[in-house]
Amino acid sequence: MTLFEVIVLAIIEGLTEFLPVSSTGHMIIATALMGISPTPFVKLFTIAVQLGTILSVLALYYRRFFRSLTFYYKLVVAAIPASIFGFLFSDEIDGLLESPLVVGITLVIGGIILLFVDRWFNKPTIDNSDEISYGQALKIGFFQCLALIPGTSRSASTIVGGMTQNLTRKAAAEFSFFLAIPMMFGATVLKLKDHFDNGNGLSDQEINQLIIGNVIGFIVAIVAIKSFIGIVSKYGFKAFGWYRIVVGGIIIAMLLSGHSLQIL
C-alpha cells in the first residue's frame, strides 16, 4: 500500500468502527475505488488498525475501567455469545465474507431498522451502562452475534441490543464502545497469529504503516466517538439509517454495474 492509501483506510476505520454504519462496507468501497489488492498485509492492516481505535475508547473512558471488577465481568459475559457462535459457524461466516452483496443488503436492512429504532424503544430507564445486570449484558451479547453477518455493524447490533434492554441511546452506545475492546483485541491477535502462521513477515515499511495507521485511527476515533454521542443523544439514529441505505445502495449498484468488489 501507499502512504496515501494507509491514511485513507485509517481515517475510514477511525470514523466508522464505532458508528452504526459498518466499517466493512466502507472498506469495500474504499479499496475498490483505490484499486487496492487483498494482499496478506492489506488484510492484516484492516484488522490490526483497530488497535488504535481500541486505545481511543480507553483514553476517553479510562476512569470507567478502574471502578470495579464487576464492570469487566459484564463485558466478558457480553462477549461470550459472539465468541461461541463465531467459533461454531466459522466456515459459514467465511462464506458470507466472500459476498459483498450480503454486505450491501444487510446495510440497507440495518438502515431501515435504524429509521424506526428510536420510536420502538422510547422509554429508557437506564442512563448509565454500569447499571445493567449480567442478564442484560448477556442479551446484548446475543445481539452482537448479528454482527457476524458482514455489513450488519457490530456497533449497530449492540446499540440496538442495549436499547432493547431499556438503556438510553447514550448508555447503549457507550456499552457498545466498551464491548468492542475485547472483541476487537481478540480479532487482532488472531489475525496477527494467522499472518505469521502462514509464513508471512513484516517489513520495516509495513511496520511503519501499521504504526501510522493506528495513530491516525486513534485520533480520528476520538473525534468520531465524541461527535457520535452528541448526535445520537440529541437527534437519534434516523440520519445513520438513511446513510446506511445510501452506502448499501452504492455497493449493490457497483456490483450490478460489473465492479469486482472484495471484502478484506
Side-chain angles (χ1 to χ4, degrees):
M1 287 192 298
T2 65
L3 179 59
F4 174 76
E5 291 168 344
V6 167
I7 293 173
V8 171
L9 291 182
I11 291 174
I12 291 173
E13 170 62 26
L15 282 174
T16 61
E17 183 59 50
F18 296 112
L19 274 60
V21 296
S22 176
S23 58
T24 300
H26 287 76
M27 287 292 191
I28 288 175
I29 295 175
T31 53
L33 292 177
M34 292 189 291
I36 300 176
S37 300
T39 64
F41 174 70
V42 171
K43 293 181 178 181
L44 171 65
F45 178 87
T46 57
I47 300 298
V49 74
Q50 294 176 345
L51 286 175
T53 57
I54 290 173
L55 291 175
S56 69
V57 177
L58 293 174
L60 286 172
Y61 294 99
Y62 70 92
R63 290 187 180 89
R64 299 280 287 274
F65 287 89
F66 294 99
R67 289 185 178 179
S68 69
L69 289 176
T70 302
F71 177 79
Y72 298 97
Y73 296 154
K74 291 176 182 177
L75 290 182
V76 171
V77 168
I80 288 174
S83 300
I84 293 175
F85 277 85
F87 175 76
L88 293 177
F89 300 101
S90 59
D91 291 340
E92 289 79 2
I93 293 169
D94 288 342
L96 291 175
L97 283 171
E98 296 176 359
S99 175
L101 180 59
V102 171
V103 175
I105 293 172
T106 52
L107 272 166
V108 172
I109 293 173
I112 294 172
I113 291 173
L114 288 183
L115 294 180
F116 300 99
V117 71
D118 294 311
R119 187 184 307 172
W120 293 338
F121 309 108
N122 58 3
K123 296 181 180 179
T125 57
I126 301 175
D127 192 38
N128 188 328
S129 58
D130 290 347
E131 299 174 8
I132 69 172
S133 67
Y134 284 102
Q136 290 171 317
L138 183 62
K139 291 175 183 177
I140 295 172
F142 278 108
F143 271 88
Q144 184 170 232
C145 293
L146 296 173
L148 296 174
I149 303 172
T152 302
S153 170
R154 191 208 59 81
S155 177
S157 60
T158 51
I159 289 173
V160 172
M163 292 176 69
T164 67
Q165 300 306 303
N166 297 318
L167 272 69
T168 62
R169 294 187 293 240
K170 178 175 180 292
E174 288 180 346
F175 190 75
S176 173
F177 300 157
F178 304 144
L179 185 54
I181 295 175
M183 303 305 298
M184 293 165 63
F185 181 76
T188 301
V189 170
L190 289 175
K191 192 64 178 180
L192 282 167
K193 181 179 181 299
D194 289 343
H195 184 79
F196 291 111
D197 285 349
N198 290 329
N200 301 305
L202 288 173
S203 66
D204 290 342
Q205 180 184 13
E206 290 172 338
I207 292 174
N208 289 334
Q209 289 179 338
L210 284 172
I211 294 172
I212 293 170
N214 276 285
V215 170
I216 293 174
F218 172 81
I219 296 171
V220 174
I222 285 180
V223 176
I225 290 173
K226 287 185 175 181
S227 301
F228 177 58
I229 289 295
I231 292 171
V232 298
S233 297
K234 189 172 182 180
Y235 301 107
F237 293 98
K238 184 171 289 188
F240 295 101
W242 285 117
Y243 181 79
R244 283 181 64 111
I245 292 171
V246 171
V247 174
I250 290 174
I251 291 177
I252 294 171
M254 291 176 72
L255 289 169
L256 293 177
S257 64
H259 283 80
S260 179
L261 304 180
Q262 299 186 55
I263 300 180
L264 300 175

